[in-house]
Amino acid sequence: MLPLYTRFLTTSDYGKLDIIQTTISLLIPLITLQAVEAVFRYSIDMKERGNVSTVLVNGLLLCFVGMIVSLLLYPVFKKFEPFSSYVGFFYAIMFLSMTDSIMKQFVRGLGKTTVFVVSDLAYTVSVVSFSILFLIVVRLGLQGYFLSMVLAHLVSIVVLLTFGNVVENLGFRSFDRSFLKSMLIYSVPLIPNALMWWVMNVSDRYMLTYFIGFDATGIYSVSYKFPSLITLVNSIFFMAWQLSAMEQYGKDGYERFYRNVFGALSSLLLVSTSFVFVILKPLLMIFVAEAFYESWKYVPLLLLGAVFQAFSSFFGTNYTASKKTKGAFSTSVVGGIVNIGINFALIPIWGIQAAAFSTMAAYVAMWLMRVKDTQKFVKIEVDWRNLLLSLTVIGIQILGLYLIRNTLIFLAFGSALMLVLLFVQRKYIQQVYSFGMQLLSEIRSR
């Protein structure tokens, strides 16, 4: 959607849009006490006992209470831009996003993967369709973008209500105060962890807006869209991995299983990153308006940050599987401190690139902490030689991206280095290929 958004929204509009979305992502885990995480985890447990209604009702109650709490902040938001101009959309998107997320994680926890995927697809198709209507046809600008998000969330919620067994599990009689307490004991320690993830993911926008302005925030936001390609690859994998980790945790062979999966994941992400570097400049020429083209400069560090974010999430599953979530917080704090410290020190000097660097450095620090900390739960051996060699190849590729101005020459240079990376990762690529063939065979046999 970048070709559409960057041509019908200014850099300032894009910056305002990003600040609003960033604030929503901060408030939701705080005002709902991380109800989304608790709903997913306890839906898995309670489906075996046949009492899943309690999980859904308690989760939606926390969502409702959170919305009331957020309304107390209305006078504050009404005074500051960009919230004052879009306060109605701000609250509508936040409330619908909370409700949508609770229902999705409930359906996912019950194992209704098809419904979960269909609701996401419905949301995506709706955003695309309504954005085209409101931005191109009706020309509503930023209001049109927000309206498309509101309607898309409503479409997703309707899908979940219709096909996800949500309606039949609603009922005030299912409320259980003691069970709500158990959910909160699990979820509340995750709030600081979520806050630190927010700090590392999106707090850069506030600092860029403060030091430079909405235009810089808009350019940085576009830069962040390309690491989302890596995040997308990881999120597809992570949803399945999280369930597998919970089911396999504590069983014989878990350490070997964990090590092999991490090797395959790291190989997939590193090769994907290398490929994005090869096509980055031509891709931006096509996908973004001229005013946003300089965003390519900030993509490399953000892409590496996305890779280490995925690594951190991967090792973080041990905290969720073991229900010992305090370690998730302590490691996230380290990442948050690194991110804020670098931003304050370097953004006034280095500008947008400092924000990209702080994000990467924060996730590297968090991942290293989690590698060490999770040894208490499971002994995982990282193939450091292979990983460091791969990162060296990618580092050379990044240098070429900045130093080689001729696009065709860099395409040859970057492609050659990607072939080197494929050779380095050949063992794990073979694992990914073998797994894919096995999965395809199982699908055909069914």
Side-chain angles (χ1 to χ4, degrees):
M1 296 299 290
L2 278 178
L4 175 66
Y5 295 149
T6 58
R7 284 166 175 80
F8 286 87
L9 297 175
T10 66
T11 53
S12 180
D13 284 340
Y14 217 97
K16 293 175 182 178
L17 157 67
D18 207 48
I19 289 294
I20 288 176
Q21 289 182 320
T22 296
T23 305
I24 290 173
S25 70
L26 165 65
L27 288 177
I28 287 179
L30 295 178
I31 63 178
T32 63
L33 303 178
Q34 276 290 61
V36 171
E37 294 290 337
V39 167
F40 171 61
R41 186 67 183 88
Y42 281 91
S43 294
I44 296 174
D45 290 345
M46 296 302 286
K47 71 179 179 181
E48 298 175 359
R49 307 175 193 177
N51 192 22
V52 293
S53 298
T54 303
V55 180
L56 177 62
V57 171
N58 285 349
L60 290 175
L61 177 63
L62 289 174
C63 176
F64 179 72
V65 172
M67 190 61 193
I68 294 175
V69 171
S70 71
L71 288 173
L72 298 177
L73 300 173
Y74 177 85
V76 177
F77 289 120
K78 193 61 180 174
K79 288 183 178 180
F80 297 99
E81 284 289 346
F83 306 101
S84 58
S85 299
Y86 307 99
V87 68
F89 285 119
F90 171 73
Y91 274 103
I93 292 169
M94 182 163 59
F95 176 70
L96 291 172
S97 180
M98 286 191 291
T99 306
D100 194 8
S101 296
I102 291 288
M103 292 182 180
K104 277 181 179 175
Q105 295 307 316
F106 174 73
V107 168
R108 181 185 169 208
L110 295 184
K112 297 181 178 296
T113 309
T114 302
V115 178
F116 178 84
V117 171
V118 169
S119 69
D120 262 351
L121 288 173
Y123 173 83
T124 302
V125 171
S126 299
V127 166
V128 172
S129 302
F130 289 127
S131 293
I132 292 172
L133 173 63
F134 296 131
L135 290 179
I136 298 179
V137 180
V138 187
R139 297 294 181 104
L140 291 179
L142 197 50
Q143 288 186 341
Y145 177 88
F146 289 137
L147 184 57
S148 69
M149 289 189 66
V150 169
L151 295 176
H153 276 302
L154 286 172
V155 169
S156 176
I157 289 171
V158 169
V159 170
L160 293 166
L161 288 172
T162 306
F163 303 105
N165 293 340
V166 173
V167 175
E168 49 264 48
N169 284 297
L170 290 173
F172 291 110
R173 293 181 180 179
S174 297
F175 172 72
D176 187 326
R177 183 178 298 178
S178 62
F179 186 73
L180 177 62
K181 182 179 179 181
S182 298
M183 289 177 66
L184 291 175
I185 290 173
Y186 172 81
S187 67
V188 169
L190 291 172
I191 295 175
N193 177 55
L195 181 59
M196 290 302 104
W197 277 100
W198 175 87
V199 167
M200 288 178 287
N201 271 319
V202 292
S203 65
D204 307 338
R205 274 80 156 179
Y206 290 98
M207 297 188 190
L208 284 171
T209 301
Y210 176 77
F211 286 115
I212 307 177
F214 284 120
D215 290 303
T217 306
I219 291 171
Y220 183 72
S221 177
V222 170
S223 301
Y224 224 105
K225 296 299 180 184
F226 290 89
S228 68
L229 296 171
I230 300 300
T231 305
L232 174 64
V233 172
N234 180 62
S235 64
I236 295 169
F237 158 83
F238 185 75
M239 282 184 250
W241 163 246
Q242 196 175 33
L243 287 169
S244 298
M246 291 178 185
E247 293 170 355
Q248 297 296 323
Y249 183 79
K251 296 181 180 179
D252 291 338
Y254 179 71
E255 294 175 358
R256 183 176 64 258
F257 169 68
Y258 201 98
R259 182 180 64 250
N260 290 338
V261 174
F262 179 71
L265 172 67
S266 61
S267 176
L268 181 62
L269 292 178
L270 291 170
V271 171
S272 299
T273 298
S274 178
F275 176 70
V276 172
F277 287 155
V278 172
I279 64 171
L280 179 59
K281 288 183 180 179
L283 196 66
L284 262 79
M285 290 178 185
I286 299 170
F287 272 85
V288 302
E290 186 177 350
F292 292 86
Y293 180 70
E294 71 168 282
S295 61
W296 76 264
K297 299 175 184 177
Y298 318 112
V299 172
L301 295 183
L302 288 174
L303 268 173
L304 285 180
V307 170
F308 284 102
Q309 178 187 5
F311 290 177
S312 298
S313 298
F314 183 88
F315 277 79
T317 53
N318 278 321
Y319 297 120
T320 306
S322 63
K323 295 184 180 179
K324 297 176 181 178
T325 52
K326 291 181 180 179
F329 167 60
S330 60
T331 54
S332 298
V333 166
V334 173
I337 291 172
V338 170
N339 183 275
I340 292 176
I342 293 175
N343 279 331
F344 271 117
L346 296 183
I347 283 180
I349 303 170
W350 201 8
I352 300 175
Q353 198 68 270
F357 176 72
S358 71
T359 299
M360 183 194 71
Y363 283 121
V364 170
M366 177 190 281
W367 177 62
L368 292 175
M369 287 284 293
R370 288 189 172 185
V371 169
K372 181 179 179 181
D373 189 53
T374 54
Q375 296 296 317
K376 296 182 293 186
F377 309 127
V378 55
K379 302 292 183 182
I380 303 298
E381 296 179 6
V382 178
D383 189 346
W384 291 106
R385 181 178 176 276
N386 181 280
L387 181 60
L388 291 175
L389 185 56
S390 298
L391 290 173
T392 300
V393 173
I394 288 177
I396 297 171
Q397 200 175 30
I398 292 174
L399 286 175
L401 190 62
Y402 286 116
L403 298 176
I404 301 174
R405 295 186 178 183
N406 186 291
T407 303
L408 291 177
I409 293 176
F410 177 76
L411 282 173
F413 177 79
S415 298
L417 285 173
M418 194 175 88
L419 291 175
V420 173
L421 182 63
L422 288 169
F423 177 77
V424 172
Q425 292 287 333
R426 62 192 183 281
K427 179 176 72 173
Y428 296 111
I429 291 173
Q430 179 62 40
Q431 287 183 3
V432 174
Y433 176 79
S434 298
F435 175 76
M437 290 298 100
Q438 180 183 351
L439 182 61
L440 184 61
S441 176
E442 290 177 2
I443 293 172
R444 286 175 175 173
S445 64
R446 292 177 184 177

